[in-house]
Amino acid sequence: MAEAHQAVAFQFTVTPDGVDFRLSREALKQVYLSGINSWKKRLIRIKNGILRGVYPGSPTSWLVVVMATMGSSYCNVDISMGLVCYIQRCLPEGCGPYHTPQTQALLSMAVFSTGVWMMGIFLFRQTLKLLLSYHGWMFEMHGRTSHFTKVWAICVRLLSSRQPMLYSFQTSLPTLPVPSVQATIQRYLESVRPLLDNEEYYRMETLAKEFQDKTAPRLQKYLVLKSWWATNYVSDWWEEYIYLRGRNPLMVNSNYYVMDFVLVKNTDVQAARLGNIVHAMILYRRKLDREDIKPVMALGMVPMCSYQMERMFNTTRIPGKKTDVLQHLSDSRHVAVYHKGRFFKVWLYEGSRLLKPQDLEMQFQRILDDPSLPQPGEERLAALTAGGRVEWAQARQAFFSSGKNKAALDAIERAAFFVALDEESHHYDPEDEASLSLYGKALLHGNCYNRWFDKSFTLIAFKNGHLGLNTEHAWADAPIIGHLWEFVLGTDAFYLGYTETGHCVGKPNPALAPPQRLQWDIPEQCQAVIESSYQVAKALADDVELYCFQFLPFGKGLIKKCRTSPDAFVQIALQLAHFRDRGKFCLTYEASMTRMFREGRTETVRSCTSESTAFVQAMVEGTHMKAHLQNLFRKASEKHQNMYRLAMTGAGIDRHLFCLYVVSKYLGVSSPFLAEVLSEPWRLSTSQIAQFQIRMFDPDQYPNHLGAGGGFGPVADDGYGVSYMIAGENTIFFHVSSKFSSSETNAQRFGNHIRQALLDIADLFQVPKADR
């Protein structure tokens, strides 16, 4: 009951003389400090709003304009061309010492200067938006930059020379353009040509032409109208229809995982590692709130949209019968923790002070040492978030809408994030290849009830001190959580550190109130629903085959010697591997980002092209000269790079067709072409993992401080999911997933084909083994 006493701010007793209050000074002090902290945050947000609102201007630039106007007036030069006098005449007349002609003249000059300053900011922003709408630099060969692009780069640097805040560029980012229907249809037909025989292609071409001539013009008008009105014509529909309206389990089907540093180990102490990491995460959240994080910039000068970062913390997906919603709070002062079937609430602050790593270590160790048993139904409660969304929505409404269950659920859903203290140990042992796959499986689904899959992310701490993340997908894409993870791991390793015994640096405060155990009253009917959801989730998890491996023969160092993009190299190798594995080509999905546009998320690169299939067929035949194969490879690589650039610059295929399909549903228009396109299965779904978005340390100086990236489940029942990270000059990590229930797929077999394909392509360019 210690936490209950700590929660009481004052006590009172009733006496014959009246009510006697006994106030707690310490509790009132904490209330006072919390209020001060809240007001500080509000003032910081107001200040940030002003600075962001006037970027690329600044309060200093406003003062310069005011001083210039006043200085010209004293020199009898009217730079306002009579506007100051006109403003002065329009000012209301009044009496008193502050309404003299001199003060009215100063006020008029200040009003004029402010108007000039705001007009300048508007012109600067519009000019910057126009400049950022130019993407020709992406299509120029490396080392062959045109004079136009050089002048453009100078102008962009001049207009964004000040130190920008995280959201400074948001209003200057261009909106995502709507491609023409004709261009999209042409690119679509080109993408499916290598997958269809002549008869099938002719049928699809007929459907496409009919759609383009009859149905598409009307649908396109609505999309263009939306692009004028909305910030982004894709993102809101994409979030709602692809993520939030999905009724299948989030686990495996949607959520993805991220791994820890795998070649170094900072400590074996589970609570200590968690203390440092949680502290680093809240430091990152503080930077996020204060907008102290620099925007991600392509080429060091082209800003990427940062809006997805807003919902990183304090966010939960709330289940609904027809659609889910994302609940985001402006702040949260605690984390929810799961250990051995029990749920706890751990405060991150003492008053207004953020707890130090050593204090957090003590709190997590208290949970690890707590001998209490789970309450009835508590142990597998989180399985509700792993099963079907409709069942979870119904159970939430029936059993968690009032009383102690609602209070406990609120503590989880309103937490900054969720923490899972696992009893198992997982890590990557280079001598045991299976260890990386087991590590990935534990992060992807755990035991189906020790992750809260609805939270924006679950931080997972294994018994041996290794960590990982399980991330909900609706609120943001992988590069966003990757940005946080790079900061956290770098801060943990190079700034916070550990003692010689592996504990957090410093002495904890033993007077801190212990973590609060969440209380539940789960009836048998609810326990039956929990068990049903668990069985659904367990069947799904047991069906996932995950094969993770480190490819050591070479990395981006050798690929650069082949004079091609590392991503194109791997994607073409995946096509070769898939053909050897399945004996045929398939529709291939590669995710690219559209964050050069405001509120941009992703676009699809259809990596299976006529050029890549021509190269693969020639390789499989084995009768062609190396020079011919090299030529085919370079054509396939150039084609892939061009498609990737088109996708990034808003000229992709799939998001446009998706939005046309949504409009057709709203209008009640039937389109056989769109219905067929949107039902095509992606039997090979791929993604490259972003890295080194933040320069927390020099990777050349610390080559072993490598994360292994992360992965996701297969998109199609008879397909593969492949995630890869080109982690350095000499290594690539792969995460390959498939389903045991499919007789056509095998993740380990496909992984071996990927290895061989990479080696075979490298051998084409006769790179000596000593250089690998």
Side-chain angles (χ1 to χ4, degrees):
M1 294 296 291
E3 66 274 12
H5 290 293
Q6 291 288 339
V8 176
F10 61 89
Q11 301 171 4
F12 67 91
T13 57
V14 179
T15 68
D17 297 325
V19 180
D20 176 30
F21 287 91
R22 295 196 298 274
L23 300 177
S24 166
R25 289 184 180 180
E26 181 60 29
L28 289 179
K29 176 185 174 184
Q30 298 305 324
V31 170
Y32 167 76
L33 291 174
S34 296
I36 293 295
N37 189 53
S38 296
W39 278 104
K40 281 182 180 178
K41 284 186 177 181
R42 290 176 189 175
L43 291 174
I44 288 170
R45 284 170 183 157
I46 291 170
K47 183 197 75 171
N48 289 346
I50 293 171
L51 293 176
R52 184 191 337 120
V54 301
Y55 188 87
S58 67
T60 305
S61 64
W62 174 81
L63 189 59
V64 169
V65 176
V66 172
M67 296 301 292
T69 304
M70 291 182 176
S72 67
S73 175
Y74 285 116
C75 295
N76 294 319
V77 178
D78 186 9
I79 62 173
S80 72
M81 301 177 68
L83 280 175
V84 169
C85 293
Y86 176 78
I87 293 170
Q88 189 171 352
R89 288 196 300 270
C90 293
L91 290 176
E93 295 183 1
C95 57
Y98 301 106
H99 290 82
T100 64
Q102 291 82 5
T103 57
Q104 287 188 330
L106 289 174
L107 182 59
S108 301
M109 284 186 278
V111 171
F112 168 76
S113 301
T114 302
V116 170
W117 178 65
M118 293 181 70
M119 183 65 71
I121 290 171
F122 175 78
L123 291 174
F124 275 138
R125 281 188 178 176
Q126 294 305 310
T127 304
L128 185 58
K129 182 180 286 190
L130 185 64
L131 289 169
L132 294 177
S133 299
Y134 169 71
H135 300 118
W137 57 273
M138 291 191 67
F139 296 88
E140 293 179 349
M141 296 289 291
H142 183 67
R144 298 181 186 177
T145 307
S146 66
H147 293 299
F148 183 86
T149 298
K150 289 177 181 177
V151 172
W152 165 82
I154 292 170
C155 292
V156 171
R157 289 186 186 279
L158 286 174
L159 286 176
S160 55
S161 57
R162 277 187 57 221
Q163 288 294 325
M165 301 171 70
L166 179 61
Y167 302 119
S168 290
F169 288 109
Q170 289 301 99
T171 55
S172 297
L173 291 173
T175 55
L176 184 68
V178 181
S180 71
V181 172
Q182 182 180 357
T184 297
I185 294 297
Q186 181 182 348
R187 283 194 285 267
Y188 169 78
L189 291 173
E190 187 180 334
S191 74
V192 298
R193 186 65 188 94
L195 304 174
L196 305 175
D197 60 30
N198 291 336
E199 184 178 343
E200 291 172 330
Y201 179 76
Y202 176 75
R203 184 184 66 83
M204 183 56 72
E205 192 176 38
T206 304
L207 284 176
K209 189 175 187 315
E210 181 183 6
F211 170 73
Q212 179 180 326
D213 294 340
K214 296 181 179 179
T215 312
R218 183 185 174 198
L219 306 181
Q220 180 79 348
K221 288 176 183 177
Y222 283 93
L223 274 194
V224 172
L225 180 63
K226 187 188 178 190
S227 71
W228 293 346
W229 178 252
T231 309
N232 188 294
Y233 83 92
V234 175
S235 293
D236 58 340
W237 285 350
W238 185 254
E239 180 178 296
E240 180 180 357
Y241 292 106
I242 298 301
Y243 294 118
L244 297 180
R245 291 209 181 187
R247 302 294 82 198
N248 290 325
L250 300 183
M251 188 194 77
V252 175
N253 293 319
S254 180
N255 286 26
Y256 56 93
Y257 66 87
V258 185
M259 287 184 170
D260 196 355
F261 285 148
V262 291
L263 302 180
V264 294
K265 193 172 187 179
N266 297 313
T267 179
D268 291 321
V269 183
Q270 185 180 17
R273 186 78 196 287
L274 205 49
N276 265 6
I277 291 294
V278 170
H279 181 79
M281 282 184 164
I282 302 306
L283 290 180
Y284 183 92
R285 186 179 70 169
R286 180 183 291 174
K287 284 179 169 287
L288 202 61
D289 290 341
R290 296 177 179 180
E291 302 183 34
D292 287 340
I293 299 170
K294 293 180 181 178
V296 177
M297 311 279 268
L299 297 181
M301 64 178 182
V302 179
M304 301 288 108
C305 180
S306 303
Y307 99 100
Q308 294 181 60
M309 303 175 90
E310 295 174 357
R311 298 181 294 185
M312 187 178 296
F313 295 94
N314 328 323
T315 297
T316 300
R317 180 165 170 165
I318 305 296
K321 293 180 181 178
K322 292 185 178 180
T323 182
D324 294 352
V325 295
L326 287 173
Q327 172 187 282
H328 173 69
L329 306 176
S330 60
D331 193 21
S332 178
R333 299 173 64 82
H334 71 277
V335 292
V337 182
Y338 179 90
H339 175 245
K340 278 190 172 181
R342 295 93 41 86
F343 290 87
F344 297 84
K345 181 178 183 178
V346 176
W347 292 103
L348 300 169
Y349 293 84
E350 183 186 18
S352 62
R353 182 183 70 86
L354 172 62
L355 294 185
K356 299 293 185 183
Q358 63 269 24
D359 294 326
L360 290 167
E361 177 188 354
M362 178 185 69
Q363 297 292 62
F364 291 125
Q365 190 61 50
R366 284 173 169 177
I367 292 175
L368 291 170
D369 296 339
D370 187 326
S372 62
L373 298 174
Q375 299 159 78
E378 182 182 18
E379 183 177 13
R380 293 184 177 180
L381 175 63
L384 290 171
T385 69
R389 303 306 293 171
V390 175
E391 292 78 9
W392 173 207
Q394 292 171 340
R396 189 177 188 276
Q397 183 177 4
F399 305 110
F400 299 91
S401 57
S402 62
K404 61 171 65 176
N405 286 351
K406 184 180 188 304
L409 183 61
D410 279 350
I412 295 173
E413 294 182 337
R414 300 175 73 86
F417 51 90
F418 193 80
V419 178
L421 286 165
D422 278 18
E423 286 297 292
E424 298 178 346
S425 291
H426 285 286
H427 69 287
Y428 173 43
D429 179 2
E431 302 299 320
D432 179 14
E433 185 182 75
S435 63
L436 193 63
S437 303
L438 293 172
Y439 181 17
K441 283 272 283 183
L443 295 175
L444 181 63
H445 52 66
N447 61 15
C448 303
Y449 56 81
N450 57 356
R451 316 276 181 260
W452 197 270
F453 294 100
D454 286 359
K455 288 301 290 182
S456 53
F457 63 89
T458 294
L459 173 61
I460 301 155
F462 296 109
K463 197 169 186 177
N464 57 355
H466 279 283
L467 303 172
L469 298 175
N470 182 286
T471 306
E472 201 277 319
H473 210 326
W475 64 274
D477 301 307
I480 304 301
I481 202 72
H483 194 279
L484 163 72
W485 200 229
E486 285 182 27
F487 174 88
V488 166
L489 294 182
T491 301
D492 170 50
F494 298 100
Y495 295 94
L496 297 178
Y498 299 89
T499 64
E500 291 181 358
T501 56
H503 292 278
C504 295
V505 178
K507 293 184 178 180
N509 175 15
L512 284 175
Q516 178 184 343
R517 178 77 185 274
L518 299 186
Q519 300 299 315
W520 308 92
D521 182 12
I522 302 175
E524 291 185 1
Q525 304 97 306
C526 183
Q527 292 180 38
V529 177
I530 292 171
E531 181 62 24
S532 176
S533 292
Y534 168 69
Q535 294 300 330
V536 169
K538 188 176 185 302
L540 184 59
D542 289 344
D543 196 25
V544 175
E545 180 186 11
L546 189 66
Y547 178 56
C548 307
F549 64 95
Q550 182 182 13
F551 181 78
L552 286 168
F554 59 84
K556 64 182 178 183
L558 179 141
I559 295 173
K560 288 176 182 176
K561 294 178 182 178
C562 301
R563 293 185 298 171
T564 187
S565 147
D567 182 66
F569 189 99
V570 174
Q571 284 291 328
I572 296 169
L574 290 175
Q575 291 299 315
L576 176 58
H578 189 273
F579 190 83
R580 286 171 171 172
D581 184 81
R582 300 286 296 274
K584 59 184 177 182
F585 299 106
C586 72
L587 196 60
T588 306
Y589 182 111
E590 183 190 7
S592 75
M593 63 181 181
T594 56
R595 288 173 59 203
M596 288 192 294
F597 301 96
R598 192 170 178 184
E599 295 189 11
R601 289 199 60 162
T602 60
E603 177 57 275
T604 305
V605 179
R606 294 177 166 235
S607 302
C608 184
T609 63
S610 296
E611 289 79 2
S612 66
T613 55
F615 167 75
V616 168
Q617 287 169 335
M619 282 287 288
V620 172
E621 287 172 9
T623 58
H624 296 267
M625 300 292 290
K626 277 191 175 181
H628 180 60
L629 292 171
Q630 288 175 359
N631 185 48
L632 289 175
F633 177 83
R634 288 203 171 95
K635 286 182 179 178
S637 174
E638 289 169 7
K639 175 67 174 180
H640 182 271
Q641 291 178 71
N642 187 60
M643 289 178 61
Y644 203 96
R645 291 164 184 150
L646 286 171
M648 288 187 67
T649 54
I653 300 167
D654 290 275
R655 300 301 177 269
H656 186 201
L657 292 177
F658 161 75
C659 288
L660 289 171
Y661 180 75
V662 173
V663 174
S664 74
K665 288 298 181 182
Y666 279 133
L667 297 178
V669 175
S670 175
S671 170
F673 170 74
L674 288 177
E676 188 157 337
V677 169
L678 271 293
S679 64
E680 292 171 343
W682 300 96
R683 290 193 170 88
L684 181 56
S685 183
T686 71
S687 179
Q688 181 181 186
I689 303 161
Q691 59 170 329
F692 300 130
Q693 299 180 79
I694 308 176
R695 196 76 173 182
M696 293 291 293
F697 60 91
D698 185 356
D700 296 326
Q701 189 176 353
Y702 300 96
N704 286 333
H705 283 71
L706 289 176
F712 52 88
V715 174
D717 290 339
D718 58 347
Y720 292 111
V722 180
S723 177
Y724 55 94
M725 186 170 79
I726 305 171
E729 296 296 314
N730 302 302
T731 189
I732 308 174
F733 284 99
F734 285 91
H735 305 252
V736 184
S737 63
S738 63
K739 291 193 174 183
F740 287 114
S741 57
S742 172
S743 60
E744 300 180 41
T745 57
N746 182 293
Q748 184 164 354
R749 182 186 71 205
F750 188 47
N752 291 332
H753 282 307
I754 293 172
R755 275 198 186 92
Q756 192 59 51
L758 290 167
L759 292 171
D760 290 346
I761 294 174
D763 284 340
L764 281 182
F765 294 90
Q766 297 180 328
V767 179
K769 290 186 178 179
D771 292 341
R772 295 186 183 176

